[in-house]
Amino acid sequence: MDISIEILSERFKLLGDKTRLSILALLRERDMCVCEFVEVLHCSQPGVSQHLKKLKQANLVREYRKGHWIYYQLNKEEIPELTIYMVDIPNLKKYIDQEQVECEA
Amino acid sequence: MDISIEILSERFKLLGDKTRLSILALLRERDMCVCEFVEVLHCSQPGVSQHLKKLKQANLVREYRKGHWIYYQLNKEEIPELTIYMVDIPNLKKYIDQEQVECEA
DNA sequence: TGATTATATAAGTATATCGTTATATATTTG
DNA sequence: CAAATATATAACGATATACTTATATAATCA
């Protein structure tokens, strides 16, 4: 594989943000919806949305709707090389419930 | 290894720049001095210096003097995990001389 | 259908980052 | 020691990025 410096630096720039990196780390544990990120990350709802948009545009995550909520998940299949960058990302399991919680409507 | 999100995002931010990423890619081939980067990267001398300073502060590179010139080299030994991030960095061998050239004084 | 709710977008502001120009520092060599 | 040269630093301006507030959109459910 021979990704250009251009593309690779953009990829790193995307990962070079605490909030986005935390989102990816959390998504390694399980799919999560926007309001969960807001709660866990102490980040505003528009803030989370904007970061998710960037991750989505870079094809690192994708979304699906489930009732009221839009869940995000890692795009592991399409970007296997993403795992290379994620080797060192800390485990954030302790900050979230293990089961995908049904938020009350 | 359990690097914090804080530190890891800083590391990625550092790699998220075309010039710095190119410097690292070039240093994979051989040690180089500042004026060589200036020539190859089409970047000003102060620009190169500033980028090198950041890489040095992050302990990714180190320097040694050789006559008039200050050469930089990858800090492979101290940061083996750096190689993880560099797997995908393109090979820039074609842009430089293979031998460490003695610049005329 | 209308109210509610989750999420997205727009617009504005503050801050960080990069590149430039000018100047300082440090080493070599005559 | 003085001149030349490679590199580093300082100061500034331009641009990009992230955060905030306000508002729009879209789906659900009564």
Side-chain angles (χ1 to χ4, degrees):
Chain A
M1 82 187 93
D2 204 43
I3 310 178
S4 75
I5 290 273
E6 178 86 32
I7 290 173
L8 194 56
S9 65
E10 284 306 311
R11 169 67 49 94
F12 281 131
K13 197 176 293 178
L14 199 70
L15 298 176
D17 176 276
K18 268 192 294 181
T19 304
R20 285 193 292 272
L21 209 53
S22 300
I23 287 174
L24 293 177
L26 288 167
L27 287 180
R28 262 197 324 196
E29 300 306 323
R30 63 171 171 77
D31 300 357
M32 292 181 76
C33 66
V34 181
C35 60
E36 288 183 292
F37 291 126
V38 171
E39 195 177 325
V40 176
L41 301 176
H42 306 292
C43 181
S44 71
Q45 179 269 314
V48 168
S49 260
Q50 285 155 6
H51 285 302
L52 285 170
K53 185 179 186 177
K54 291 186 180 184
L55 292 171
K56 197 171 58 182
Q57 282 172 340
N59 217 29
L60 300 193
V61 304
R62 59 188 165 205
E63 49 177 311
Y64 60 91
R65 179 173 282 272
K66 198 172 176 183
H68 274 295
W69 302 274
I70 292 176
Y71 281 82
Y72 281 83
Q73 67 181 180
L74 285 184
N75 212 351
K76 283 181 202 168
E77 301 75 22
E78 287 220 1
I79 314 205
E81 79 262 27
L82 172 61
T83 55
I84 291 174
Y85 312 117
M86 297 188 69
V87 171
D88 288 340
I89 296 183
N91 191 300
L92 297 186
K93 203 175 284 185
K94 54 191 166 193
Y95 298 116
I96 59 173
D97 293 323
Q98 289 319 300
E99 301 299 318
Q100 189 168 317
V101 193
E102 290 294 322
C103 310
E104 65 271 22
Chain B
M1 82 188 93
D2 205 42
I3 310 177
S4 75
I5 290 273
E6 178 86 31
I7 291 173
L8 194 56
S9 65
E10 285 306 312
R11 170 67 49 95
F12 280 132
K13 196 176 293 178
L14 199 69
L15 297 177
D17 176 275
K18 267 192 295 182
T19 304
R20 285 193 293 271
L21 209 52
S22 299
I23 287 174
L24 293 177
L26 288 167
L27 287 179
R28 258 193 332 191
E29 300 307 323
R30 63 170 171 78
D31 300 357
M32 291 181 76
C33 67
V34 181
C35 59
E36 288 183 293
F37 290 127
V38 171
E39 195 177 325
V40 175
L41 301 176
H42 306 292
C43 182
S44 72
Q45 180 269 313
V48 168
S49 259
Q50 284 155 7
H51 285 302
L52 284 169
K53 185 177 186 180
K54 290 185 182 185
L55 292 171
K56 196 171 60 182
Q57 282 172 340
N59 218 29
L60 299 195
V61 304
R62 60 191 163 203
E63 49 177 310
Y64 60 91
R65 178 175 282 273
K66 198 172 177 183
H68 273 296
W69 301 274
I70 292 175
Y71 281 83
Y72 281 82
Q73 66 181 180
L74 284 185
N75 213 351
K76 283 181 202 168
E77 302 75 21
E78 288 220 0
I79 315 206
E81 79 261 26
L82 173 60
T83 55
I84 291 175
Y85 311 118
M86 298 187 68
V87 171
D88 288 340
I89 296 183
N91 190 299
L92 297 187
K93 201 175 286 186
K94 54 191 166 194
Y95 298 117
I96 59 172
D97 293 323
Q98 290 320 301
E99 300 300 319
Q100 188 167 317
V101 192
E102 289 295 322
C103 311
E104 66 270 24

